[in-house]
Amino acid sequence: MSEQHNSVDAIIIGAGFSGLYQLHTLRDQLNLSTMVLEAGTDLGGTWFWNRYPGARCDSESYSYCYMFSEEIYKEWSWSERYPGPQEIRNYLDFVAQKLELRSHIKFNTLVTSAHFIEETNQWELTTKNGEIYRATYLITGIGCISSANIPNIPGLKNFKGEWYHTGNWPHEQVSFENKRIGQIGTGSTGIQAAPVIAETAGHLHVFQRTPNYSVPARNAPLTDDWKEHVHKNFKEIKQVVQSTPNGFPYRISTTKVFEQSENERQTAYEKAWQKGGLQFRATYQDITTNKKANDTAAEFLKNKIRTVVRDKETAESLATIDYPYAGKRPPIDTNYFETFNKDNVSLINLKKESIVKITENGIQTTERHIPLDMIIFATGFDAITGKFFEMDIQGRNGISLKETWKEGPKTYLGLQTPGFPNLFTITGPGSPSVLCNMPVAIEQHVEWITHCIEHMRNNKIDTCEASQEAADKWVEHVNEAANATLLVTVPHSWYLGANVVGKPRIFMPYAGGMDRYRALCEDAVKNHYAGFIMNSKNSTNHSKNNLTNHNFDAAKKITTPGI
Ligand code: N01
């Protein structure tokens, strides 16, 4: 323990959507001394790091923003249907300026450890720069897909060309001009990147292990009429995003697939395809829960691939998909399948030949050597828990978070973990997080945490932590919610941690729906923070109501999951 440290009421890790809003509420509403520690050199979180070619948000811009302030909402106008990283960073900069947040953010400050000190009920944080901070409340806003996953393919260190991971993309311009590029990965990122890389690459080789469904994004500049429309309808838009299961600004149909004829279905799917975007999965209520219903959507999308891609073998490699549509996070794209009609693009089907190693000048597969000047890893993330484990987080009695979560994360409502008092995790594991439009999930968490801390201060409570019983029951319910969907049927999904070698296979986000989740969080508060143990120095009385009053039964029947 050091004698030299900075001490504040609250520290937030991360200066993305979560960190900025949490700083505002704690500093400006509760008057707490608050600071944000951020590893990057500027605002943005996910959007600070993800600058890869073609990067774009898949939530529509008018819903991918804060809604806590009507004034802020109406002062900002988005230029395109789906914003890119620069425009999102500009937006966050606008919010930071408006709320004068920058003075309380310390950039270039990577937190390496956070230990709970029992004697003072404080968290002590150390940074890579060797600084030490203490705070009563520690809040993580570290994002869910922020820890890059670079597969352990033999030989990478010998490669003499350039290589990049999309999630750590250089700030300087990367030129693909006349270069032979190998892109590994065809998730949402790879599907966005390939068409843009192919525009200037000498040749692009796309290494595909698992083919993917994709629906056109149909991105476009927004008209002045549209901008005026969303500003005028702020209240209605907010009401919709806060009441849907996935936080998106559209309602999921209440019609089931087999309530309509084949002709009606084809018309409905075609209409959704033409409209573009993630709402394709909202065409019918049961697409994400009923395999046979899902098959009809899957078949429609596979046929689209076969229609677009001219080379029959390539089309089959792209369209032979053996898992349900939206079973993994469904990408949306701009000309992804069309890209394979270009002469300078080839698909390497890793179901037919696999990567053996990276050589000095290319990739060796079981069939051939492919010479390359650049390798791009669009290989995803150690999602949801990865960033936590990059820090040495220790709670009561020096127990580490890594140890506590070694068989999978165990939280209550994704907000707190037993044994880690006053540690609040925005969009933590076990909350809807990645299954929800992120800013909607973030606002709800920030506001819940703010009210909880306000309650603690008003009632002279020193520590709040989830009870073991509550966490155990919640983990059970998170599994139950996932099992009601087709999400658990995809063995290679990052929702399950299956993309990272050695990671336990546990479904991490809460699939029961943001609307249901919001109600459960409110219910816990109404029941005197049921499931949370509140302690004061002078008394050790636990929260008056324990979980027996807290009813998950209402949450049992999941008909419209939040995906
Ligand atoms: O990552 P992914 P992502 N050899 O894990 C392949 C969000 N996002 O960065 O499926 C060969 O989905 C892997 O293959 P497989 C969004 O939530 C949002 O694309 O494991 N291939 C897969 O094809 C998304 O879901 C936006 O068999 C290997 C790919 O790499 C999440 O980020 C935009 C491999 C990884 O796909 C992650 O998407 C972009 C190996 N050794 C992303 N290892 C928005 O618009 C992995 N792969 C907001």
Side-chain angles (χ1 to χ4, degrees), residues 52 56 58 145 151 185-189 209-210 328-329 380 494:
Y52 59 87
R56 207 166 270 290
D58 56 10
I145 36 181
T186 53
S188 302
T189 300
R209 190 164 67 181
T210 307
K328 297 209 287 187
R329 165 84 169 210
W494 60 260

Side-chain angles (χ1 to χ4, degrees), residues 46-47 50 52 55-59 64 145 149-153 165-166 184-192 207-212 323 328-330 332 350-351 355 378-381 434 492-495 498-499:
T46 292
W47 302 103
N50 280 274
Y52 59 87
R56 207 166 270 290
C57 180
D58 56 10
S59 298
Y64 195 79
I145 36 181
N149 176 39
I150 300 173
N152 191 14
I153 302 172
H165 186 281
T166 50
I184 305 178
T186 53
S188 302
T189 300
I191 280 178
Q192 287 183 332
F207 292 78
Q208 171 193 278
R209 190 164 67 181
T210 307
N212 220 331
Y323 59 90
K328 297 209 287 187
R329 165 84 169 210
I332 59 174
L350 296 178
K351 297 266 187 246
I355 296 175
T379 45
F381 301 88
V434 292
H492 37 74
S493 145
W494 60 260
Y495 294 149
N499 62 327

Side-chain angles (χ1 to χ4, degrees), residues 135-354:
T136 307
Y137 314 104
L138 175 60
I139 301 113
T140 58
I142 55 181
C144 296
I145 36 181
S146 38
S147 180
N149 176 39
I150 300 173
N152 191 14
I153 302 172
L156 178 58
K157 64 176 185 323
N158 303 326
F159 184 60
K160 294 220 165 99
E162 304 161 70
W163 69 267
Y164 308 101
H165 186 281
T166 50
N168 278 323
W169 197 259
H171 291 198
E172 308 75 46
Q173 188 74 25
V174 174
S175 168
F176 309 114
E177 202 87 37
N178 299 323
K179 290 181 186 161
R180 297 162 302 177
I181 319 271
Q183 175 191 302
I184 305 178
T186 53
S188 302
T189 300
I191 280 178
Q192 287 183 332
V196 180
I197 296 169
E199 280 169 18
T200 52
H203 200 97
L204 172 65
H205 301 269
V206 178
F207 292 78
Q208 171 193 278
R209 190 164 67 181
T210 307
N212 220 331
Y213 300 96
S214 186
V215 170
R218 309 222 185 269
N219 186 39
L222 296 172
T223 62
D224 289 343
D225 281 354
W226 174 260
K227 292 175 195 171
E228 200 185 319
H229 166 81
V230 297
H231 286 160
K232 265 199 187 140
N233 290 285
F234 167 74
K235 286 196 173 65
E236 290 74 14
I237 293 166
K238 181 171 176 175
Q239 201 276 329
V240 175
V241 298
Q242 292 196 345
S243 58
T244 52
N246 52 24
F248 284 103
Y250 52 81
R251 303 266 178 212
I252 296 170
S253 170
T254 51
T255 307
K256 293 188 176 173
V257 163
F258 296 110
E259 286 169 2
Q260 293 207 321
S261 69
E262 171 68 16
N263 270 351
E264 286 170 321
R265 272 200 298 277
Q266 290 306 314
T267 307
Y269 286 142
E270 186 61 36
K271 198 170 152 208
W273 171 268
Q274 291 307 335
K275 192 164 186 203
L278 285 175
Q279 61 262 52
F280 186 88
R281 64 194 163 162
T283 314
Y284 292 103
Q285 191 205 48
D286 49 349
I287 285 184
T288 54
T289 50
N290 175 337
K291 174 71 170 63
K292 283 209 161 66
N294 189 287
D295 286 346
T296 65
E299 215 37 53
F300 176 89
L301 294 172
K302 289 177 190 176
N303 284 336
K304 284 290 183 191
I305 301 172
R306 293 185 180 110
T307 313
V308 169
V309 180
R310 286 196 290 270
D311 178 73
K312 289 280 164 274
E313 195 184 334
T314 306
E316 272 325 296
S317 291
L318 289 163
T320 307
I321 310 176
D322 62 0
Y323 59 90
Y325 164 65
K328 297 209 287 187
R329 165 84 169 210
I332 59 174
D333 71 277
T334 301
N335 298 329
Y336 175 64
F337 296 113
E338 289 81 350
T339 296
F340 291 96
N341 291 333
K342 290 186 154 196
D343 292 337
N344 68 334
V345 178
S346 315
L347 184 74
I348 316 291
N349 184 346
L350 296 178
K351 297 266 187 246
K352 292 189 177 159
E353 56 187 302
S354 44

Side-chain angles (χ1 to χ4, degrees), residues 77 143 167 288 299 361 402 405 407 494 502 521 544:
S77 286
T288 54
E299 215 37 53
N361 54 5
K402 206 168 185 173
W405 287 359
E407 279 155 16
W494 60 260
C521 289
K544 280 187 215 110

